[in-house]
Amino acid sequence: MADQQYSRSYYRATYVNTAFDAGFASAMAIRPKWLKDICSVLFSGYYLIWASDGDEVVRHCFAISLTE
């Protein structure tokens, strides 16, 4: 078995961070602010469960920011 480059806690932290980023990015366009905050938390929970969807959202937002 090959040595792992990073620890399990590092991968867990990146997994959670990606979910929070995707949740925030998904809720950015929602107005008013209080609804945006609630939806951001709900979306982050969704992306914690379905991580591949969260990766796609973050990748898409990153690609848009690079082209602008």
Side-chain angles (χ1 to χ4, degrees):
M1 186 165 114
D3 292 328
Q4 288 186 346
Q5 187 172 4
Y6 299 106
S7 67
R8 285 162 97 199
S9 61
Y10 173 79
Y11 286 114
R12 190 175 306 122
T14 58
Y15 172 77
V16 171
N17 189 42
T18 300
F20 286 149
D21 286 346
F24 177 75
S26 296
M28 274 193 312
I30 297 175
R31 300 282 186 244
K33 185 185 179 320
W34 63 269
L35 183 59
K36 180 192 322 184
D37 294 341
I38 292 171
C39 289
S40 177
V41 171
L42 294 175
F43 294 158
S44 295
Y46 172 83
Y47 293 126
L48 278 171
I49 297 170
W50 287 280
S52 60
D53 291 346
D55 286 335
E56 289 297 320
V57 169
V58 171
R59 195 173 301 124
H60 177 74
C61 290
F62 185 68
I64 289 174
S65 69
L66 286 179
T67 59
E68 290 182 352

